Amino acid sequence: QSVLTQPPSVSAAPGQKVTISCSGSSSNIGNNYVSWYQQLPGTAPKLLIYENNKRPSGIPDRFSGSKSGTSATLGITGLQTGDEADYYCGTWDSSLSAPHYVFGTGTKVTVL
Amino acid sequence: QITLKESGPTLVKPTQTLTLTCTFSGFSLSTSGVGVGWIRQPPGKALEWLALIYWDDDKRYSPSLKSRLTITKDTSKNQVVLTMTNMDPVDTATYYCAHSWDYYDSSGYYSNAFDIWGQGTMVTVSS
């Protein structure tokens, strides 16, 4: 079971905004940068946000990230049908015997 | 342009050892701050991180799978190999390799993410 909890699904109409939460703890989100990944149906994941709020080259500014305490949030504005995908947060965790990377439980975004 | 591609068997029997190879181009694993990780995804389920090898041969493993995993690199061949022992049907998944960076920023925070992914390879465990 993942230590990062996300809502199973969120939905909104085209043009609207959605936010996806990622809840963790002090051993992971609380003391590490968070990344977000988008996985379109049948494809490999793609890096969407890194270091909490930075976008790789080519990622539109409709996608934004933030972090507060032990939670992180991904926001998508101007929702498009092409944004229908699964979204995962990810970060390092320093609990247990050695640092390890963890992904969130994943959130499916549906455009109504 | 960075590309990665996974290769290996599509079908393994329970208790067998799985060996997957990630062949990459566009970067060198001998360059400071570079790493290659393995991530898997069972059908219809979430991503699960497995292991990561750094440019300096430092390695990190998933605590729950550490006893079964070995990650190695061959810098001259531009390859990273992941072996997983004692395969079980629950290990049926798509296995991805991905390029990553690692450094400490000016605030002292560790920065690392998987920015370029391979297409993935589906592995089924069945007798």
Side-chain angles (χ1 to χ4, degrees):
Chain A
Q1 308 297 339
S2 176
V3 297
L4 302 181
T5 303
Q6 300 179 231
S9 64
V10 297
S11 61
Q16 297 300 302
K17 174 181 179 178
V18 295
T19 59
I20 301 171
S21 61
C22 176
S23 179
S25 69
S26 59
S27 68
N28 41 66
I29 292 178
N31 284 286
N32 290 286
Y33 283 131
V34 176
S35 298
W36 289 91
Y37 302 86
Q38 176 194 58
Q39 187 175 31
L40 296 170
T43 69
K46 179 173 77 172
L47 179 65
L48 213 55
I49 297 288
Y50 67 98
E51 291 183 9
N52 301 336
N53 54 21
K54 297 180 180 178
R55 286 175 284 105
S57 174
I59 302 299
D61 58 7
R62 299 187 299 105
F63 296 91
S64 64
S66 64
K67 189 184 95 166
S68 178
T70 58
S71 293
T73 301
L74 173 71
I76 310 174
T77 59
L79 202 59
Q80 302 176 359
T81 55
D83 297 332
E84 282 205 339
D86 293 320
Y87 293 81
Y88 296 91
C89 56
T91 188
W92 283 86
D93 191 297
S94 56
S95 64
L96 302 178
S97 56
H100 54 282
Y101 201 84
V102 289
F103 286 100
T105 50
T107 299
K108 182 176 181 60
V109 170
T110 301
V111 181
L112 301 173
Chain B
Q1 178 191 4
I2 291 175
T3 63
L4 305 98
K5 187 172 185 179
E6 308 84 354
S7 60
T10 58
L11 178 66
V12 298
K13 290 181 167 50
T15 75
Q16 286 187 336
T17 294
L18 171 68
T19 299
L20 294 173
T21 301
C22 176
T23 303
F24 56 85
S25 63
F27 68 95
S28 171
L29 243 186
S30 60
T31 300
S32 175
V34 174
V36 172
W38 284 94
I39 302 98
R40 72 178 179 179
Q41 185 174 37
K45 295 189 176 182
L47 301 173
E48 180 183 17
W49 177 80
L50 301 176
L52 173 62
I53 189 165
Y54 293 94
W55 60 281
D56 58 358
D57 210 38
D58 193 12
K59 301 163 187 177
R60 295 281 183 263
Y61 294 101
S62 164
S64 63
L65 294 167
K66 181 179 172 61
S67 64
R68 299 174 52 205
L69 294 174
T70 302
I71 190 170
T72 60
K73 63 181 175 73
D74 187 329
T75 305
S76 64
K77 293 183 179 179
N78 280 351
Q79 291 181 332
V80 171
V81 175
L82 181 76
T83 60
M84 181 180 290
T85 62
N86 194 24
M87 292 293 285
D88 184 272
V90 301
D91 297 313
T92 293
T94 297
Y95 287 76
Y96 297 98
C97 64
H99 170 276
S100 77
W101 69 75
D102 83 298
Y103 64 88
Y104 286 88
D105 67 9
S106 57
S107 302
Y109 274 89
Y110 177 65
S111 179
N112 171 275
F114 300 100
D115 58 342
I116 308 294
W117 294 59
Q119 63 188 26
T121 185
M122 179 66 191
V123 178
T124 300
V125 184
S126 174
S127 55

